[in-house]
Amino acid sequence: MTAENPTGPLGGHLDDDDFPAYTMGRAAEMLGTTQGFLRALGEHRLITPLRSAGGHRRYSRYQLRIAARARELVDQGTPIEAACRIVILEDQLEEAQSLNAEYRRAAESANPPSAA
């Protein structure tokens, strides 16, 4: 087994933030919340867990980070609907800023500043 060709039960998914590795019970335990809270996040379309072959919800590390941020906001008194919207907007802003930085770097490499 090598890093380039991982084998085993996880098939190289140990570093995959999007791999649905956590059951609903385990995810709720890790976040210190209830399974109902995770279901509510799904109802408000903040996270959409994947389903196992048996139909059980499975969560990725990325989804758990998103859920943890929503929980922080709810714990501070923000209604869950608003918390979900805030987290979605924060995620969209982060993605837009990342794209802008990428475009800026591409433009700068295409048109380097002239020496004066």
Side-chain angles (χ1 to χ4, degrees), residues 64-87:
L64 294 183
R65 281 195 302 273
I66 296 291
R69 175 65 180 130
R71 178 163 186 243
E72 287 174 11
L73 291 169
V74 169
D75 287 350
Q76 294 170 4
T78 306
I80 193 164
E81 305 86 22
C84 289
R85 187 68 182 137
I86 289 167
V87 173

Side-chain angles (χ1 to χ4, degrees), residues 37-74:
F37 179 78
L38 291 173
R39 277 193 221 66
L41 296 181
E43 290 169 12
H44 292 292
R45 297 188 176 144
L46 179 61
I47 54 176
T48 304
L50 293 170
R51 299 283 181 152
S52 68
H56 300 283
R57 290 174 178 89
R58 300 284 181 179
Y59 297 88
S60 68
R61 286 193 308 238
Y62 173 75
Q63 289 173 322
L64 294 183
R65 281 195 302 273
I66 296 291
R69 175 65 180 130
R71 178 163 186 243
E72 287 174 11
L73 291 169
V74 169

Side-chain angles (χ1 to χ4, degrees), residues 1-19:
M1 175 165 53
T2 66
E4 295 81 31
N5 189 15
T7 60
L10 293 178
H13 295 290
L14 288 174
D15 293 331
D16 185 354
D17 269 358
D18 295 318
F19 183 72

